[in-house]
Amino acid sequence: MPIIEQSEYNLPSIIHRNRHISTIYAALFKKYEVPGYTREKHELSDGDFINIDFIINDSKKAVILCHGLEGDSRRTYNNSCAAYFQEKGFSVFAWNNRTCGGEMNRLPRLYHHGAVDDLDEVVQFVLQKKEFEDVYLIGYSMGGVQLLNYLGWTKIDKRIKAAVSISVPTHIATSAAVLKQGFNRVYLKNFTIDIKRKLKYKAAQFPDFINRDQIDKISSFDEVDQYFTAPLHGFASRDDYYQRVSPEFSLQNITTPVLIINSLDDPFLGERCYPRAIAQDSAYVYLETPKYGGHCAFPLRDSMYSYVEKRAYEFFESFKGLA
């Protein structure tokens, strides 16, 4: 019954009891230097490409970092996580979803929560880069969804030892609904501004695939996913997309140890994003639900790192050398 009943996360100060202070500080004000990555443009099997940033260390262990919605490999949470694991002797691979990382992709296709084929190509890239013996995955928010779906949908290489999924909407529909409520609309507006900008670029590239007039009607993920995400990626509708890519429906298939860390005050998560029943019945899905932490935040007192990278390392160490 892998439910962590008592999280060890402690708030750095009383003001971080406010979920929005933690979330906004981590997203806008916290800074961490970008690691000295090498970037490689990786050609995908469908003729498109993604950019992968990496640092190779001498050891035979590596970690793959998966960024969140409208993020990229060089977001602050990725930078601090990469630095932490580099200090621990890991090689680090931080990949950019299609359209992310400062360079638009070639094809009409965008990224989405179920893009496990792209994540699988990243994993194969890592496994071929060096003879790693232990490979781990960390995903933030949407990247955490991709990670969980990858583990639940794909035959996993034995070198993949464990994973950690942070601030992850395991049920997409309830998460999308929560973002339309109260102050959360501020986050939603920021997301839609960025998404509309990308869609307008794509509409100019591929006018036969993307209806330019529908872009201006976007006010929430309802329109994004009904008119763009679903049809561009082979889903029948927004509801079909939400159902098929929500990890809630694939967690029971996971046979690789994975820790989900979702704070109870996360402003992005709906009520169905805390899969206690599944974790209680699973030998592989661990669930930790700190009372506080915000979204992709979990700040620590007197540290530029966050709780989640330290917790991820501790979790991975418990599976080191797993056959």
Side-chain angles (χ1 to χ4, degrees):
M1 297 188 297
I3 295 178
I4 291 84
E5 295 290 356
Q6 188 65 43
S7 174
E8 295 183 1
Y9 175 61
N10 294 311
L11 286 170
S13 70
I14 195 169
I15 66 169
H16 289 96
R17 289 184 179 180
N18 184 306
R19 66 185 68 192
H20 301 300
I21 288 176
S22 290
T23 300
I24 292 170
Y25 172 77
L28 296 182
F29 299 105
K30 180 181 176 181
K31 304 297 179 186
Y32 203 103
E33 185 179 0
V34 178
Y37 287 129
T38 296
R39 171 165 288 193
E40 187 168 326
K41 181 178 289 187
H42 177 65
E43 296 293 328
L44 299 170
S45 56
D46 65 359
D48 212 340
F49 71 91
I50 53 175
N51 286 313
I52 303 174
D53 293 339
F54 58 90
I55 298 172
I56 304 291
N57 282 334
D58 293 335
S59 72
K60 293 190 175 182
K61 55 186 180 180
V63 63
I64 299 171
L65 307 181
C66 309
H67 67 77
L69 188 77
E70 283 305 292
D72 57 47
S73 63
R74 303 184 179 203
R75 282 295 169 99
T76 297
Y77 54 75
N78 257 16
N79 294 342
S80 63
C81 189
Y84 186 83
F85 277 88
Q86 189 183 5
E87 287 181 3
K88 298 294 185 181
F90 287 71
S91 294
V92 178
F93 295 81
W95 70 289
N96 293 279
N97 276 271
R98 303 186 200 214
T99 78
C100 301
E103 188 174 8
M104 189 59 69
N105 63 319
R106 298 188 190 110
L107 301 183
R109 177 175 166 175
L110 308 171
Y111 65 83
H112 62 87
H113 290 78
V116 300
D117 52 344
D118 287 353
L119 177 52
D120 185 55
E121 293 217 29
V122 173
V123 171
Q124 300 312 313
F125 173 90
V126 172
L127 294 176
Q128 294 166 19
K129 204 70 177 173
K130 183 180 174 181
E131 293 184 359
F132 293 112
E133 295 177 354
D134 300 317
V135 177
Y136 305 90
L137 293 90
I138 298 176
Y140 292 86
S141 196
M142 181 199 72
V145 173
Q146 293 173 328
L147 183 160
L148 293 175
N149 284 331
Y150 177 70
L151 296 179
W153 296 353
T154 309
K155 183 178 180 180
I156 303 301
D157 190 285
K158 65 181 181 180
R159 288 167 287 183
I160 305 295
K161 303 302 184 184
V164 173
S165 190
I166 299 152
S167 300
V168 55
T170 56
H171 190 267
I172 305 299
T174 55
S175 178
V178 161
L179 281 168
K180 292 187 287 185
Q181 300 173 5
F183 185 84
N184 293 347
R185 291 193 293 264
V186 173
Y187 306 121
L188 178 61
K189 184 175 179 60
N190 286 334
F191 280 133
T192 56
I193 288 171
D194 291 341
I195 291 169
K196 286 164 74 171
R197 186 183 302 118
K198 283 186 177 178
L199 286 171
K200 288 176 181 178
Y201 189 100
K202 280 293 181 186
Q205 277 185 302
F206 303 101
D208 294 337
F209 286 90
I210 296 177
N211 186 328
R212 176 67 172 76
D213 295 334
Q214 287 179 328
I215 297 174
D216 291 327
K217 298 176 183 178
I218 291 174
S219 62
S220 71
F221 287 120
D222 291 349
E223 296 82 22
V224 172
D225 295 327
Q226 180 66 30
Y227 299 122
F228 303 101
T229 309
L232 281 171
H233 303 104
F235 299 97
S237 64
R238 176 186 68 235
D239 291 340
D240 178 54
Y241 169 62
Y242 288 165
Q243 174 81 11
R244 288 167 59 186
V245 305
S246 289
E248 176 182 300
F249 305 107
S250 60
L251 288 175
Q252 66 272 15
N253 300 326
I254 291 177
T255 57
T256 302
V258 59
L259 171 64
I260 296 171
I261 306 176
N262 281 354
S263 72
L264 296 175
D265 72 342
D266 191 319
F268 288 34
L269 300 186
E271 60 184 11
R272 288 177 65 174
C273 293
Y274 303 91
R276 292 184 63 85
I278 294 173
Q280 192 149 7
D281 292 338
S282 173
Y284 301 98
V285 178
Y286 294 71
L287 177 64
E288 181 174 343
T289 55
K291 185 176 180 179
Y292 302 106
H295 187 76
C296 294
F298 300 94
L300 293 172
R301 183 185 299 273
D302 300 324
S303 177
M304 286 303 292
Y305 296 123
S306 75
Y307 170 73
V308 289
E309 48 247 34
K310 295 185 176 185
R311 182 69 179 92
Y313 175 72
E314 177 186 89
F315 185 72
F316 294 160
E317 282 292 287
S318 67
F319 297 100
K320 185 169 61 176
L322 190 68

